[in-house]
Amino acid sequence: MAPKENDKIIKENNCATKIGLPCDLEAFLTIFKTGSIPHNWCGELVVLGKVCHSALVTRTLENPLFKYLNPATIIARSIQTWNNCLAWIESPSPST
């Protein structure tokens, strides 16, 4: 996807305003560094939406500061993070 397309998606979907900074930072660290997002941020990530999530990750990969990263690895982590959060949100809470 071209950089301008990502910017358009982000702008049209108000992606930058749908997620708080703490959650945004956790998601960033999960995808670009640690690989594991705390469950307390999953709700906010899922509300952000898959379109916004994908566009923000792709736009970050386009930044020259991250040229050393393997895009395939980052995209795989992004998908895994999304799927893990979605599964956690959709799974019933254990009975107490």
Side-chain angles (χ1 to χ4, degrees):
M1 190 175 295
K4 290 189 188 249
E5 289 178 54
N6 281 318
D7 289 340
K8 183 179 176 187
I9 289 168
I10 292 166
K11 185 176 181 180
E12 287 176 351
N13 291 284
N14 297 314
C15 298
T17 62
K18 287 184 178 179
I19 191 167
L21 184 58
C23 182
D24 188 29
L25 290 173
E26 273 307 321
F28 178 86
L29 286 173
T30 296
I31 295 164
F32 290 86
K33 195 161 178 99
T34 66
S36 178
I37 191 167
H39 288 147
N40 58 315
W41 297 117
C42 282
E44 201 169 331
L45 184 64
V46 170
V47 168
L48 172 67
K50 191 168 186 174
V51 169
C52 285
H53 173 69
S54 297
L56 289 167
V57 168
T58 303
R59 183 174 73 178
T60 303
L61 280 171
E62 292 164 350
N63 186 319
L65 292 173
F66 300 103
K67 66 182 177 187
Y68 64 92
L69 295 173
N70 180 333
T73 300
I74 299 303
I75 296 298
R77 284 187 194 159
S78 170
I79 292 166
Q80 184 67 46
T81 299
W82 176 262
N83 289 340
N84 288 347
C85 279
L86 198 57
W88 186 80
I89 294 296
E90 292 177 346
S91 68
S93 298
S95 299
T96 54

